[in-house]
Amino acid sequence: NASGVKEFVLLGLSENPGVQKICFMMFLAFYTIILVRNLLIVITAISSQRLNSPMYFFLYYLSFVDICYSSITVPKMITSFLHKNKTISFVGCIAQLFGVHFFGCTGIFILTVMAYDRYVAICRPPHYTAAMTRCVCSRLVMGSWVGGFLHSIAQTLLTTCLPFCGPNEVDHCFCDVHPLLQLACTETYAVGIIVVANSRTITLSCFLILVASCVVILVSLQSQTLEGWQKAPSTCRSHITMVVLFFGPRTFIYNRPSSNLSEDKSMAVFYTVITPTLNPLIYMLSNEEVKSTMRKLW
């Protein structure tokens, strides 16, 4: 950063002391739930020999990503509610931006891979064992990490190349591309278009894949057994729920021209705090096999 700005001020959700105290208690509670639930799933998946199917393999990584994703932003938010000093260094801000997009995009890709896994399990059951070997699953997860890294490094480099010479107040809860673009001392229209195009391609593509997987599963059930009918509603219900919770806010934020709408804050809080809290409940803690394994393990 060759400009004069060495740190940013995160304005957060509100400057009202009463609201900040309420937010502190709420965010601390949610973050504790995120850590406990997801760590419980990670430890259970590692320790148990029963949960060795590809679905649990992907869910283990999804829980791990949720822990990392929330830990990038939520602790800083929690401490900012207690301290008047809400600054973050330029390097710290860029690192936070990188982490948010890296773990967020990786989570999106893992959810998409999970949709493919459920499609093969329900629509091609005779070929499931051969198609979803541990080697294939590992490559899919690795591809998710690489895809998340490429997306994040592109967003980060586009932002760090911009000059920042003041003001340095970020009207957001954490460092993200859109609010930082508003502070650059140059025209950012072209960069904004590239950022939006990059994020839009990923979110819309994965969104369509998730929706299409549910449609294909339901259509294919015309020739499936009763067991297939029993699997599909639960699978599609989980995917549809995650499409609404995970992709809805991102679609709102990234599939539009760059602007600093106040709604961004509430949407960002939703997908960084609320969604990681619900992921374990939606995918695993409602699964009888998982709950049974947890009871035996703990």
Side-chain angles (χ1 to χ4, degrees):
N1 179 28
S3 59
V5 173
K6 301 302 179 184
E7 64 180 18
F8 292 101
V9 178
L10 297 172
L11 297 182
L13 291 174
S14 173
E15 296 182 1
N16 186 306
V19 174
Q20 290 185 1
K21 291 179 180 179
I22 295 173
C23 288
F24 167 77
M25 292 185 291
M26 290 179 59
F27 280 44
L28 181 61
F30 274 114
Y31 186 57
T32 303
I33 294 172
I34 290 171
L35 292 181
V36 171
R37 280 184 176 176
N38 286 287
L39 280 173
L40 187 65
I41 289 172
V42 169
I43 295 172
T44 302
I46 293 175
S47 305
S48 174
Q49 297 298 321
R50 295 179 60 190
L51 305 180
N52 57 1
S53 68
M55 180 181 71
Y56 299 120
F57 179 78
F58 295 132
L59 285 169
Y60 155 74
Y61 279 101
L62 181 63
S63 293
F64 177 74
V65 167
D66 280 342
I67 293 173
C68 297
Y69 183 56
S70 297
S71 298
I72 291 293
T73 57
V74 180
K76 180 64 177 177
M77 284 191 249
I78 291 173
T79 56
S80 68
F81 292 133
L82 295 180
H83 300 286
K84 293 183 178 180
N85 184 7
K86 304 180 186 299
T87 61
I88 183 173
S89 67
F90 181 87
V91 174
C93 185
I94 295 303
Q96 193 176 65
L97 184 153
F98 176 85
V100 165
H101 283 269
F102 176 47
F103 292 113
C105 188
T106 302
I108 289 175
F109 287 143
I110 290 178
L111 283 171
T112 308
V113 168
M114 288 166 59
Y116 171 72
D117 170 71
R118 291 297 86 197
Y119 160 75
V120 177
I122 296 174
C123 300
R124 300 287 186 270
H127 309 286
Y128 182 69
T129 303
M132 301 301 294
T133 63
R134 183 51 63 98
C135 180
V136 171
C137 294
S138 298
R139 289 178 180 177
L140 289 172
V141 170
M142 181 60 66
S144 299
W145 286 106
V146 172
F149 175 81
L150 293 177
H151 163 75
S152 183
I153 200 68
Q155 302 278 315
T156 304
L157 290 177
L158 286 170
T159 305
T160 52
C161 289
L162 297 173
F164 295 94
C165 49
N168 67 338
E169 293 184 340
V170 181
D171 189 19
H172 209 277
C173 306
F174 54 85
C175 292
D176 203 357
V177 177
H178 284 292
L180 287 177
L181 289 180
Q182 309 301 318
L183 302 180
C185 304
T186 186
E187 173 60 46
T188 60
Y189 179 79
V191 175
I193 292 296
I194 296 173
V195 166
V196 168
N198 180 279
S199 299
R200 177 179 296 169
T201 300
I202 293 174
T203 54
L204 284 182
S205 298
C206 295
F207 172 82
L208 293 175
I209 291 173
L210 282 167
V211 173
S213 68
C214 286
V215 173
V216 172
I217 287 173
L218 292 174
V219 171
S220 70
L221 287 177
Q222 295 177 1
S223 59
Q224 287 290 320
T225 62
L226 179 61
E227 184 183 357
W229 274 102
Q230 292 173 342
K231 286 182 180 179
S234 175
T235 297
C236 291
R237 189 163 52 245
S238 298
H239 286 326
I240 291 172
T241 303
M242 287 312 303
V243 165
V244 174
L245 296 179
F246 204 87
F247 288 93
R250 285 172 171 79
T251 302
F252 172 81
I253 290 176
Y254 294 116
N255 294 346
R256 59 173 173 73
S258 176
S259 62
N260 196 23
L261 300 177
S262 59
E263 289 85 350
D264 281 12
K265 293 183 182 181
S266 57
M267 289 290 180
V269 167
F270 190 85
Y271 66 70
T272 55
V273 180
I274 308 298
T275 303
T277 307
L278 298 176
N279 272 353
L281 194 63
I282 293 170
Y283 275 108
M284 293 197 77
L285 297 182
S286 60
N287 185 302
E288 287 300 326
E289 185 178 5
V290 174
K291 289 192 290 187
S292 174
T293 304
M294 284 185 176
R295 283 193 294 267
K296 292 180 179 180
L297 180 65
W298 296 101

